[in-house]
Amino acid sequence: MAAPPAEPLAVDYDTVHVAAADHRDALIDELVHRGSRVVATQDDLVFSADRPGPAAWAANTWLAPALYRVESIGAAAHCLKAIQRNWHAHPVGHHRRARLIAERLPTIRFRPLTFPSAPPSAPLGAWTLLSHDRLLASRHTTSAFADGAPAFVEDREGPPNRAYLKLWEALTLAGIQPGPGERCLDLGAAPGGWSWVLAALGARVLAVDRAALAPAVAANARIETRTGDAFSVRGADVGHIDWVCSDLIAYPERLLELARYWCDALPDANIILTVKCQGPVDADLIARFLAIPGARLRHLHANKHELTFFRLRDGGPSEAAGRM
Ligand SMILES: C[S@@+](CC[C@H](N)C(=O)[O-])C[C@H]1O[C@@H](n2cnc3c(N)ncnc32)[C@H](O)[C@@H]1O
């Protein structure tokens, strides 16, 4: 083990967020709205103080940022190795120097996950060079994946579209999945990527959409289809449900009502719901989703201009934003 690094320099922030792609402004609004002080930004990094913890629009959050003065590439690599083994570089400039530092660190192989499997359990730190002699390193981050981006061994045969990757990612972060003996309600199910995921896990699925599922998905014996308006489905109409999943496209306000309804109607169910955003993101809306007891929100790597809402029986996923 290398000698301990030099003392970190004083900084006026306690958290550094890596903004989800194209969502830095939404992240800043979210942080300000929740009472964090945004101290600085650099590229896709947002430095904040006062309200540490994950943010919905962050791909990853560095929970213990420490700034070191490093005179050389070797000194930077030594500093990182003295803290811990596993690091991911997130360069925001000084790319060549950062690459030379990274080359001196142990190689980490980020193998694509075969779903379902657990995220890596080894802690993964993150670092960057803020200037040629300023190394910012955080041994603790919210995500086990480099920049919060899991990669999966994809299935190009079974699912009818790529939406299944969103549910794979959500269930991987959730750390639990539906299985045999459980029943799922899939709202806005067509053409059937999410229903395909749920059925492949052994669960039975009630798939509701105005549109038809892809024939191969509709033919799955574990999937029952119902054609019609998914917003008018009520708990009394569907029998016992363990999981409610929704990938409905609708105005966020309507999706908020939907989340409130199902969280209230089925207090013991796990709920995963895509929050499609339209135009500039309303930070107050995020707060209203998070006001639902047990709610968590996160921008998944597979998400576009949308967040994923979780209300899980066991509380997770820890990398998602929760009520502050
Ligand atoms: C993004 S797609 C869902 C994709 C699906 N999760 C998959 O994996 O294949 C959104 C779906 O919501 C459905 N939808 C939108 N509004 C609806 C409503 N009021 N009732 C039922 N389905 C609706 C659309 O027909 C569309 O199939």
Side-chain angles (χ1 to χ4, degrees), residues 244-276:
V244 179
C245 299
S246 165
D247 197 24
L248 279 162
I249 296 176
Y251 286 108
E253 295 286 346
R254 217 169 168 208
L255 295 169
L256 175 63
E257 283 313 309
L258 188 79
R260 283 179 176 151
Y261 171 74
W262 286 107
C263 287
D264 196 40
L266 301 182
D268 295 326
N270 290 309
I271 299 184
I272 294 181
L273 179 147
T274 307
V275 181
K276 310 270 179 190

Side-chain angles (χ1 to χ4, degrees), residues 78-142:
H78 174 86
C79 177
L80 291 166
K81 282 194 276 191
I83 298 170
Q84 66 186 23
R85 181 184 184 278
N86 291 351
W87 290 101
H88 167 66
H90 183 90
V92 291
H94 311 279
H95 292 273
R96 183 165 178 278
R97 200 170 171 82
R99 186 166 42 76
L100 294 172
I101 295 168
E103 282 171 6
R104 293 183 177 220
L105 300 175
T107 307
I108 306 172
R109 307 218 179 279
F110 297 105
R111 284 201 195 85
L113 290 183
T114 301
F115 181 84
S117 47
S121 55
L124 180 64
W127 65 273
T128 194
L129 283 180
L130 295 183
S131 64
H132 82 283
D133 66 350
R134 288 290 184 277
L135 169 72
L136 178 67
S138 178
R139 65 192 310 170
H140 300 300
T141 66
T142 50

Side-chain angles (χ1 to χ4, degrees), residues 161 163 188-194 209-211 228-231 247-249 276:
N161 58 4
W194 285 30
D209 204 299
R210 283 190 178 126
D229 178 18
F231 286 96
D247 197 24
L248 279 162
I249 296 176
K276 310 270 179 190

Side-chain angles (χ1 to χ4, degrees), residues 169-317:
E169 184 175 347
L171 292 172
T172 302
L173 300 188
I176 47 168
Q177 292 103 33
E182 291 195 290
R183 191 155 173 269
C184 309
L185 177 62
D186 184 7
L187 300 171
W194 285 30
S195 289
W196 173 85
V197 169
L198 299 166
L201 288 166
R204 286 174 299 126
V205 185
L206 175 57
V208 184
D209 204 299
R210 283 190 178 126
L213 297 192
V217 180
N220 188 313
R222 294 203 189 103
I223 300 174
E224 176 193 345
T225 54
R226 194 177 287 184
T227 307
D229 178 18
F231 286 96
S232 60
V233 176
R234 300 288 89 174
D237 308 333
V238 291
H240 179 80
I241 293 290
D242 301 285
W243 289 75
V244 179
C245 299
S246 165
D247 197 24
L248 279 162
I249 296 176
Y251 286 108
E253 295 286 346
R254 217 169 168 208
L255 295 169
L256 175 63
E257 283 313 309
L258 188 79
R260 283 179 176 151
Y261 171 74
W262 286 107
C263 287
D264 196 40
L266 301 182
D268 295 326
N270 290 309
I271 299 184
I272 294 181
L273 179 147
T274 307
V275 181
K276 310 270 179 190
C277 299
Q278 278 152 354
V281 181
D282 175 3
D284 188 55
L285 187 83
I286 290 182
R288 284 187 283 152
F289 269 101
L290 290 180
I292 297 174
R296 290 191 174 257
L297 270 184
R298 176 171 170 86
H299 182 272
L300 303 180
H301 178 62
N303 281 349
K304 296 193 175 79
H305 192 43
E306 58 197 13
L307 295 169
T308 297
F309 169 91
F310 298 84
R311 200 287 307 269
L312 302 177
R313 278 194 294 260
D314 70 355

